[in-house]
Amino acid sequence: MRRIGFLSILIALATLVSANDHPTGDEILRKVDENFGADSKISESEMKIMGERVTRTVKLKSWTEGTAKSFTEYLAPAREKGTKMLKLDDQLWIYTPQTDRIIRISGHMLRQSVMGSDLSYEDLMDDAKYTEMYDAAITREDTLDDRVCWVLSLEAKDENVAYHSREIWVDQERFIPLKENRFAKSGRLLKYTEIKSVSRIEGRWYPERMLFKDDLKGGQGTEFVINSVSFDMEIPGHVFSKASLRK
Amino acid sequence: MIRFLLKGLLRDRSRSLFPSLVVIGGVMLTVVLYSWMMGFEKDIVRANASFRSGHLIVMSRSYAENSDQMPNDLACLGVADLLSELRAEFTDVTWSPRIRFAGLIDVPDSSGETAAQGPIFGLGADLLSAETTEPEVLNLSQAIVAGRLPLSPGEMLITEELARRLHIDLGRTVTIITTSMYGSLTTFNLTVSGTIHFGVAAMDRGLVFADINDIRNGLDMIDAAGEIVGFFNDGRYWPTEADQIAETFNSHPQPQPNRFAPTMMTLMQHSGLEATLKMYRYVSSSLVSIFVIAMSIVLWNAGLLGSIRRYGEFGIRLAIGETQGHLYRFLIAESALIGLMGTVVGTIFGLLFSWYLQEVGIDISSVMKNASIVMSDVLRAQVTRTSYFIGFIPGLAATLLGSMISGLGIYRRQTSQLTKEFEA
């Protein structure tokens, strides 16, 4: 009898210790947000769009301040060169040199593909912190490319998000979401992403090469490669203005 | 004999007036009904051929499967070579590339900000090359309400309704927002050179036309086209020849048999008109048949009434030695004469009314406001060769049938009973 009582105490203690080691879903999300978040960010990247018939590469430079302000300029190919996009809170404008017009992207246009890639304008707008948009719960553990991950199930806190639910595989050591499935309210898989390589930049783990795939679209998906990124740089205020679109 | 019958019919109106009026009315309605149905059919075929399928259409296999969605990402590539091959092999057909697309038209204000925006369906067709027949095929000159056809690159036509709704004046440069062949959002400017009205509600709501090269530049579709349409050089649709051409083209070995390989379809196959017209013809022939039967019943009754009225006459004629067979044949000949005269008069009236419907038509635009099918909102008849003799079928057949049935009563009369009948 004494032995059973001793064992019960041991199990209870082990459970407590394990619970302390094992963070909750929301805590994991917070760490992911901390890893990705920065006051400001300047990056140069390229999108390799692997369509059904052709593969195109689009180069771009982005300036981001928090989660509310973002400015992107397309550098290549020649047809897209000079096209600029400005995001301020929940508003998005696009400027094309061919028309010399600044057009606000809204409504169903937000679901359009960005430069024919597997990313939509809605995806670009959707860079708020995970913790602000979703409630998380750990569903299981899994291993991806020899990395041990928590698999989190995310449920949207309100209806006003692009994806009703997500399933993400978070690297337990580096707090990077190595894989992500994005679902519609009906439960249909809409998009999935995979982080193919990660590097240590300015003291944080950051994705270097990612694959985005729109499940409703043909082709092999879009490979997004970040060639350079700097964090917490000073960005002049005028960059995030409509006037800078025409410059 | 005929002269005798004619005199009898003209002098005794009770024999001829009612049956003649019924035949005239019935034949006239048959001719009008037939001509209107022909007009309706021709209108649907013409509209679908001109704006949608051509007499023949070449698309990639994948595009063909979803052509209603205008999937330009599945468009044919290498169109210049494909056009050369088509033009060399099928010389009876004029081939032209087209690009259909959906998007938004964005009207700027003086500062370049969006003043108005609306959804559009666009058609890029060869409007500017020297040898093009597209403006004629699309009936653009007749459809112009204001301004002119595009004469140089960068110009376009929009519907009058769209211009009015978004306050777009002639000469105004607007931005088209749509999706490129590679699936990206694309914008390009075009200047409105004219406004058009087709009288087809589904098109007049928001159709724009521009030269195919402008659309190719805008949609990043260099040497590509969603569709290549072909029209027989004489402008008429020849179903058997179209089937043969499509079969020949589709039997060519494809260098890379894949879902982007070009495939050819006829107007009937692509537009789904084959089944529609089959059903339509079935319904129209059923209507004409029902009409003939109804007329036969009416004329049978008329014959019965006539027989009752002429009961005494037939009795006297039988009593003075006329045979029942002769009397029956006499009655049939008499009704044939009434049928013939009624048919001629009815056909003339029917043709006149059909001709009016062909030239003027009936405006049904008020009920077509929200229609999405490619159909004119003015109903028109079409006088064809058949219109001239279609009335003879019910006109003569029904009259004869009615008389033949009612005339059988002659054979029931007993010569031995005639004296008793007269005494009574």
Side-chain angles (χ1 to χ4, degrees):
Chain A
M1 193 70 183
R2 267 188 196 170
R3 195 173 286 173
I4 293 168
F6 181 69
L7 271 173
S8 303
I9 292 164
L10 266 182
I11 290 166
L13 277 173
T15 312
L16 269 175
V17 170
S18 159
N20 284 338
D21 281 354
H22 200 296
T24 64
D26 289 334
E27 283 167 353
I28 296 168
L29 272 197
R30 202 175 308 117
K31 288 201 173 184
V32 172
D33 282 339
E34 281 168 12
N35 197 38
F36 277 170
D39 288 342
S40 66
K41 191 167 61 183
I42 300 173
S43 65
E44 275 198 49
S45 46
E46 56 185 59
M47 287 194 291
K48 190 178 171 192
I49 304 157
M50 298 169 284
E52 270 189 287
R53 303 166 96 174
V54 288
T55 294
R56 300 184 312 136
T57 301
V58 175
K59 292 185 177 171
L60 54 147
K61 186 170 183 180
S62 298
W63 292 258
T64 309
E65 201 172 273
T67 56
K69 294 178 182 176
S70 167
F71 183 88
T72 302
E73 181 174 2
Y74 290 86
L75 310 172
R79 185 185 159 83
E80 315 294 0
K81 193 177 176 183
T83 299
K84 293 167 192 166
M85 282 190 331
L86 172 68
K87 181 204 147 185
L88 294 176
D89 294 314
D90 58 350
Q91 293 188 309
L92 185 71
W93 291 270
I94 187 165
Y95 168 82
T96 55
Q98 297 93 328
T99 58
D100 192 29
R101 292 278 316 275
I102 296 168
I103 290 171
R104 190 176 160 199
I105 309 288
S106 58
H108 76 277
M109 283 202 298
L110 287 168
R111 297 207 176 105
Q112 287 260 11
S113 152
V114 177
M115 301 290 161
S117 71
D118 290 64
L119 284 114
S120 66
Y121 291 98
E122 210 166 36
D123 291 332
L124 291 187
M125 302 279 287
D126 187 21
D127 55 4
K129 291 178 176 174
Y130 280 117
T131 44
E132 289 172 6
M133 297 190 292
Y134 294 98
D135 289 319
I138 301 169
T139 56
R140 61 184 192 278
E141 284 191 356
D142 197 3
T143 305
L144 277 182
D145 296 329
D146 300 328
R147 307 291 309 175
V148 184
C149 301
W150 286 298
V151 182
L152 302 187
S153 173
L154 310 187
E155 288 291 324
K157 286 180 177 173
D158 65 59
E159 296 284 305
N160 201 21
V161 292
Y163 304 99
H164 178 260
S165 59
R166 302 184 190 211
E167 189 178 28
I168 61 172
W169 280 251
V170 180
D171 186 323
Q172 291 193 359
E173 187 190 339
R174 301 181 298 194
F175 290 94
I176 289 265
L178 293 180
K179 185 179 164 185
E180 183 170 333
N181 291 332
R182 301 176 181 186
F183 301 94
K185 198 173 183 179
S186 63
R188 198 211 188 289
L189 176 67
L190 296 175
K191 270 179 201 167
Y192 63 87
T193 64
E194 279 178 44
I195 292 180
K196 298 286 188 185
S197 68
V198 175
S199 58
R200 188 97 176 144
I201 302 167
E202 296 178 20
R204 68 180 85 200
W205 291 105
Y206 205 75
E208 203 174 46
R209 201 160 57 86
M210 288 165 278
L211 180 77
F212 289 84
K213 178 74 184 82
D214 184 337
D215 207 48
L216 309 176
K217 211 175 155 184
Q220 269 73 57
T222 298
E223 193 176 77
F224 198 93
V225 180
I226 296 172
N227 294 325
S228 66
V229 60
S230 320
F231 297 100
D232 301 325
M233 303 283 286
E234 183 112 353
I235 301 173
H238 66 80
V239 171
F240 303 109
S241 68
K242 279 165 80 176
S244 67
L245 287 166
R246 271 207 172 87
K247 278 182 186 166
Chain B
M1 167 79 171
I2 293 171
R3 207 170 156 192
F4 173 73
L5 284 172
L6 206 59
K7 271 185 183 173
L9 288 171
L10 290 173
R11 287 175 187 173
D12 181 3
R13 283 192 189 170
S14 64
R15 276 199 227 173
S16 55
L17 190 64
F18 179 63
S20 299
L21 286 177
V22 172
V23 173
I24 289 169
V27 167
M28 190 182 88
L29 285 174
T30 306
V31 172
V32 173
L33 184 72
Y34 174 80
S35 302
W36 176 72
M37 284 184 160
M38 286 299 103
F40 187 72
E41 184 180 320
K42 189 191 164 196
D43 217 40
I44 289 181
V45 170
R46 191 191 60 78
N48 277 280
S50 301
F51 298 105
R52 201 170 165 210
S53 309
H55 293 153
L56 289 151
I57 184 165
V58 178
M59 298 161 285
S60 77
R61 287 175 194 171
S62 308
Y63 187 102
E65 282 167 19
N66 304 292
S67 62
D68 283 343
Q69 295 167 23
M70 299 173 268
N72 284 317
D73 52 327
L74 307 172
C76 288
L77 297 176
V79 166
D81 289 344
L82 188 56
L83 268 173
S84 305
E85 286 166 27
L86 288 166
R87 283 169 181 157
E89 189 172 359
F90 307 110
T91 51
D92 291 340
V93 181
T94 303
W95 300 97
S96 304
R98 284 184 183 175
I99 295 172
R100 292 193 294 136
F101 64 97
L104 291 172
I105 191 166
D106 187 283
V107 188
D109 60 16
S110 54
S111 61
E113 296 284 329
T114 298
Q117 212 177 59
I120 52 157
F121 285 100
L123 180 65
D126 180 6
L127 303 182
L128 298 178
S129 77
E131 68 280 4
T132 184
T133 56
E134 286 283 71
E136 191 189 330
V137 167
L138 294 165
N139 209 20
L140 292 180
S141 300
Q142 280 74 29
I144 285 274
V145 176
R148 56 164 174 77
L149 292 177
L151 295 175
S152 54
E155 293 185 332
M156 72 166 171
L157 295 171
I158 63 171
T159 60
E160 179 68 11
E161 193 184 320
L162 191 65
R164 212 171 32 237
R165 200 170 64 234
L166 299 180
H167 308 290
I168 305 172
D169 303 321
L170 293 179
R172 185 82 173 269
T173 297
V174 294
T175 304
I176 306 293
I177 306 169
T178 181
T179 310
S180 79
M181 184 178 174
Y182 300 105
S184 60
L185 188 128
T186 182
T187 56
F188 53 98
N189 286 346
L190 291 171
T191 302
V192 177
S193 71
T195 60
I196 43 179
H197 178 80
F198 288 104
V200 178
M203 290 163 63
D204 286 329
R205 270 198 293 273
L207 193 64
V208 305
F209 285 94
D211 184 60
I212 190 158
N213 287 325
D214 287 326
I215 302 302
R216 275 179 169 153
N217 289 335
L219 270 61
D220 202 5
M221 291 180 71
I222 306 308
D223 199 22
E227 303 161 357
I228 298 173
V229 288
F231 290 89
F232 286 104
N233 293 336
D234 62 1
R236 290 181 62 191
Y237 178 64
W238 300 95
T240 315
E241 285 78 356
D243 284 339
Q244 280 168 0
I245 291 172
E247 205 176 312
T248 308
F249 181 84
N250 292 332
S251 65
H252 290 341
Q254 296 293 341
Q256 283 180 318
N258 58 31
R259 64 197 210 99
F260 297 112
T263 185
M264 190 185 285
M265 294 171 94
T266 65
L267 164 64
M268 294 296 156
Q269 291 164 345
H270 178 244
S271 57
L273 278 182
E274 202 158 26
T276 311
L277 289 183
K278 210 173 181 177
M279 177 60 79
Y280 179 75
R281 282 169 190 156
Y282 173 74
V283 170
S284 59
S285 56
S286 300
L287 276 175
V288 173
S289 304
I290 290 166
F291 211 75
V292 170
I293 293 165
M295 269 185 67
S296 300
I297 293 167
V298 170
L299 287 166
W300 176 21
N301 276 314
L304 281 174
L305 284 172
S307 296
I308 291 163
R309 205 168 40 238
R310 295 168 72 186
Y311 195 78
E313 179 201 331
F314 290 155
I316 291 169
R317 286 171 69 171
L318 287 170
I320 60 174
E322 197 170 344
T323 62
Q324 286 170 318
H326 184 266
L327 196 55
Y328 186 70
R329 285 194 296 278
F330 181 88
L331 192 70
I332 302 292
E334 200 180 86
S335 63
L337 208 61
I338 290 170
L340 189 69
M341 288 193 309
T343 303
V344 170
V345 177
T347 301
I348 291 169
F349 280 119
L351 286 172
L352 284 173
F353 191 52
S354 299
W355 178 82
Y356 172 81
L357 282 181
Q358 180 179 290
E359 297 304 314
V360 181
I362 300 171
D363 189 351
I364 55 159
S365 54
S366 57
V367 293
M368 293 290 289
K369 256 181 207 164
N370 300 314
S372 57
I373 54 168
V374 181
M375 188 189 126
S376 171
D377 52 17
V378 177
L379 287 183
R380 289 182 195 278
Q382 173 71 31
V383 177
T384 68
R385 225 178 295 165
T386 314
S387 307
Y388 288 87
F389 59 81
I390 186 82
F392 282 76
I393 302 167
L396 275 175
T399 317
L400 284 173
L401 195 68
S403 300
M404 281 160 85
I405 297 167
S406 62
L408 289 173
I410 291 168
Y411 288 98
R412 291 202 199 101
R413 302 287 289 272
Q414 299 293 320
T415 321
S416 57
Q417 300 293 315
L418 286 172
T419 320
K420 280 185 185 173
E421 284 179 20
F422 292 143
E423 282 171 359

